Each structure stands twice: as C-alpha cells, then as structure tokens.
Amino acid sequence: MASAAEQMANSISLAKFAQATDLRKRLWFTIGALIVFRFISYVPLPGIDPVGLAALAERTSGGVLDLFNNFSGGALKRASLITLGIMPYITASIVVQLSTSLSPTLNAIKKEGESGRKRLNQYTRYGTVALTLLQGWFVAVSLEAGGAVVEPGLMFRITAVISLLGGTMFLMWLGEQITSRGIGNGVSLIIMSGIVANLPTTLYNLFQQGRTGEMDGFKLTGIIVAVVILVLFICFMERAQRRILIQYPKRQTRTGMQADRSHLPLKLNTAGVIPPIFASSLLLLPLTVTQFAGNLAKGNNWWSDAIITVNQYLQHGSLVYMLLYGAGIVFFSFFYTAVVFNPEETADNLKRHGGFIPGIRPGKNTEIYFDYVLTRITVIGAAYLAVICLVPEYLVSALSIPFYLGGTSLLIVVNVTMDTVTQIQSHLLAHQYGDLIKKAKLKGGRLR
C-alpha cells in the first residue's frame, strides 16, 4: 500500500510545477551553468596547432582517449581549457573519502560535523590542485611529443598547466554552484552532460550506417532493443532495496500502548557509479601513458615493443582487460560500500535511540547482522555493475558494433537522471506541503 507521500507524489501535475517559482529558478540556473560548461569545452589551449592536433587525435584514437573524451564532452579531442574535465576533483574526493576510513585523524575530523566537512572539502580542493598540476604537465608534454603545438618549449608547458588548472578549478566551482543553487549534484550533472553531448553524433552515425547498408537492419534493431532493456534493468536495480525492520519501544497513545516501527533501506548498489569509474581510471592510466609515449619511442626498439605489448593486452575487449576491469569493479564495490555504510556506527545509533531489530539483541549482535546483510547484497550489487559494464564492452568489441555509449556511460546517465528527477519531486512535494499548511492556517483563522 502506497504511503501518503507517495500518493501525493503521484498526484503532482504540471500546474504545480508552474507554481513552484523557486524550483524554476533552480532549473534555469542549472541549465545555464551546463551551457557555460559546453561553451568552455570549445575554448582551446593557447599555442595549439589545429592541424597537428587533428593528426594526433587520429593516431591515438581508440578506447582510452574515446572514454576520457566521452566524459569531458569532447574537450580532450579539442585540447580545450577543460581537457582534464572534472576527473581530478573526483579522484581527489575519492582518495579523501578512502583516507577518512583508514586514518583516525581524518575520521575524527569527519565526526566534527559541519566544520569537519568543510575541512575535508578543503583537503579535496588541495588534492585537486596537486593532481591537476601533475596531469596537466603530462598533457602538455604529450601534446608537444605529438606535434600538436606551434612553439614547443618550457613556456608552452607552463602556460598549458596554468590554463588546465584554471579550467578544472572553474569546473569544480561550477559544480558546487549547481549543487547549492541548482538541482541535482553538480559534478555528476557535468559528467552526464559531457556524455549526452556526444549522443546525437553517435546515434546519427549509427542510423547513417543502417541507411547506407553498412549495417544490416537486424543488427541495428538489436542494438536499440538492447539499449532499452539495459536502461530498464539499470532503473530496476538502482531502485532495488533490502529493507530491515526497525522497532522502537512502546509509548503511550490515546488508543493505548503502541510500538513505533520503521524500515532501514539498504540499496543493492550502495556504491553507485564509483566502482566502474575508479576501476576504468586505474586501467586506462597505463594504457594512456603508453599510447602517448609511443611518440617518444621512435628509434628505441625495446621500448616500442613493450608499448605494443601493453596496448595489445589492455585494449578494450581483450581477455586481460575484461578480467582486470571486472575485478576492479568488484573490489571497489565492496571497498566503497564499507566506506559509505558503517555497521558499527549504525548499530550504536540505533541502540542510543532505543531502536532494535526484532529477534536480534542491540549492540554487537546488530552490528554483525548489518555486516551479514550488507555483504550479501553487495555481492548482488557488484555482480550487477560488472554485468552492466562488461557485457556491452564485450559485444561492441566482438561484434564490431560502432556504438560507443557503453554500459558505464549508460549507468552514469541513468543514475544522474534518476537522482535529479527525485530532487525535483522533493521540491514539488515541499511546495505542495507548503500550500496545504497555508490553507490549514487560513481555515483555522476563519474558525476563530
């Protein structure tokens, strides 16, 4: 039976949306910020040779650069100010979160509340700056080695690193502004907009090949049906929960003694999209280095042979790549779930507020039960993420399908869309509750 909140959510109409002035402002701000992001992705770094850059992109085209280029909305291929995208900030935030669970000092800072959260955010910004400087220097050297620079030298490297640092920090600030003044998570929306920006070109090329006869209609129909099924499966799994019954002590009511009951929802995929993103980043790092380093290996047979061997074993669709990618997804699913959900802390909070699970003693036994349930649902969540990310990867490689919106990209787009829609519904519900309160006050005033 649906709750009162769910019934009210189902009754939301476009008329209510038009009346929510604050929500409209937030939506317009979010759209405007994403438009700014798309404009900046077309601003190139100073000193770039367009002809040399096009030749470099042609030589290094493949799974590595295509994936990073997909996340950055084409900024990497154009060598724009936001070539690195928001990935340094994501990596720094993940490292800080993992360090919080391992370091007692950072864990104590986390428990300080709002002040502790601000300090950890500041550490994340410092980490973003360090990673951007390191990766920016590597990008500048790689562009020089690939012949995509008009005047190579130290001045270009310094200028490129400063420009890339400014672009990444601006994206980080823009994401924080979207989160606070717009709708949804700003960083996630920036990544999703970069992926969605390449979707029209991908679909056009796909249908164009079907029209010209390069791809038969059966394969084209199969791709469309597979994508629809994949999206529906992602929506189902992302909403799947394991609800644990929580009971509180009986209290006196008008009708007698009554016990309060609630549910603690545990998502099957607690880690979200973090495991595939982090696993792919770690796998793509050596392959990116070898692809760019190939320009520096001319005349060195041993180094060239080593680069070719690494590229062969780690190329998309290969057995080694699939095994390492799947193992990375499973590992980070368990690791990040352990960071996000602490069974000991949850059990202590329940005991402090008098709550308990029927049939299980509060305290240590509750902690063991939480760990037992969480481990088993994480197995399902990790398997789901591995299937979503690996099966499309294998099909694209094995069947030579020119469809580059893989499982990881679909997972990010669907997750971010669902979270954003949920926030919009929350704002509409708050607005609807506000109208009900105003009406109740008016009726109360008339009665007096």
Side-chain angles (χ1 to χ4, degrees), residues 409-425:
S409 300
L410 282 177
L411 188 67
I412 294 173
V413 171
V414 174
N415 264 282
V416 176
T417 303
M418 290 176 62
D419 291 340
T420 305
V421 170
T422 301
Q423 287 202 22
I424 291 176
Q425 286 184 344

Side-chain angles (χ1 to χ4, degrees), residues 64-65 68 138 142 283-293 311:
V64 179
L65 295 183
F68 281 118
F138 175 75
S142 302
L283 271 180
L284 293 174
L285 181 60
L287 194 53
T288 306
V289 173
T290 55
Q291 283 199 356
F292 277 121
N311 288 339

Side-chain angles (χ1 to χ4, degrees), residues 65-350:
L65 295 183
D66 286 344
L67 183 59
F68 281 118
N69 190 59
N70 195 24
F71 285 165
S72 62
L76 178 60
K77 187 177 181 179
R78 292 186 288 269
S80 72
L81 295 177
I82 55 173
T83 294
L84 297 176
I86 203 70
M87 297 306 291
Y89 176 74
I90 294 176
T91 305
S93 63
I94 291 174
V95 170
V96 170
Q97 289 182 15
L98 298 181
S99 301
T100 302
S101 62
L102 300 176
S103 173
T105 304
L106 293 178
N107 192 23
I109 294 176
K110 180 182 177 181
K111 295 180 179 179
E112 292 178 1
E114 183 65 21
S115 61
R117 187 184 64 83
K118 290 182 178 179
R119 288 183 61 184
L120 291 178
N121 287 341
Q122 197 65 24
Y123 294 156
T124 303
R125 296 187 182 99
Y126 293 151
T128 304
V129 172
L131 286 174
T132 305
L133 291 175
L134 180 63
Q135 296 178 8
W137 181 265
F138 175 75
V139 168
V141 173
S142 302
L143 291 173
E144 284 186 350
V149 180
V150 178
E151 296 182 1
L154 182 62
M155 182 57 66
F156 167 75
R157 297 181 185 180
I158 295 176
T159 304
V161 170
I162 294 176
S163 301
L164 290 172
L165 177 62
T168 300
M169 298 306 291
F170 176 78
L171 278 188
M172 182 185 70
W173 174 83
L174 190 66
E176 293 177 349
Q177 293 301 310
I178 293 175
T179 303
S180 60
R181 302 173 60 183
I183 286 291
N185 184 280
V187 175
S188 300
L189 283 172
I190 288 176
I191 295 177
M192 188 194 76
S193 62
I195 296 173
V196 173
N198 296 323
L199 185 59
T201 303
T202 302
L203 293 177
Y204 173 79
N205 294 333
L206 190 66
F207 288 113
Q208 185 69 14
Q209 291 189 2
R211 187 182 67 83
T212 58
E214 297 180 25
M215 179 186 299
D216 59 272
F218 180 76
K219 183 182 290 188
L220 180 61
T221 305
I223 294 174
I224 298 175
V225 172
V227 170
V228 173
I229 293 175
L230 199 62
V231 171
L232 294 176
F233 180 64
I234 292 173
C235 293
F236 174 77
M237 292 299 294
E238 291 300 323
R239 293 177 63 89
Q241 296 177 347
R242 167 68 163 89
R243 295 187 176 185
I244 300 178
L245 179 62
I246 305 296
Q247 189 166 336
Y248 292 91
K250 293 182 179 181
R251 58 188 179 88
Q252 184 67 37
T253 62
R254 294 180 179 178
T255 58
M257 301 295 293
Q258 183 178 357
D260 291 334
R261 289 188 175 186
S262 63
H263 290 87
L264 177 64
L266 298 179
K267 291 185 62 177
L268 291 185
N269 181 26
T270 307
V273 297
I274 295 299
I277 291 178
F278 213 47
S280 60
S281 299
L282 291 181
L283 271 180
L284 293 174
L285 181 60
L287 194 53
T288 306
V289 173
T290 55
Q291 283 199 356
F292 277 121
N295 299 288
L296 302 173
K298 297 177 180 179
N300 190 334
N301 294 330
W302 177 86
W303 182 241
S304 299
D305 293 340
I307 291 175
I308 293 174
T309 303
V310 173
N311 288 339
Q312 287 178 348
Y313 279 107
L314 291 182
Q315 66 181 347
H316 281 262
S318 66
L319 180 61
V320 176
Y321 176 84
M322 301 285 281
L323 291 176
L324 292 177
Y325 191 28
I329 290 175
V330 173
F331 172 77
F332 285 113
S333 294
F334 279 92
F335 197 85
Y336 198 75
T337 299
V339 173
V340 173
F341 187 87
N342 189 341
E344 181 180 0
E345 183 178 349
T346 306
D348 290 341
N349 290 335
L350 279 179

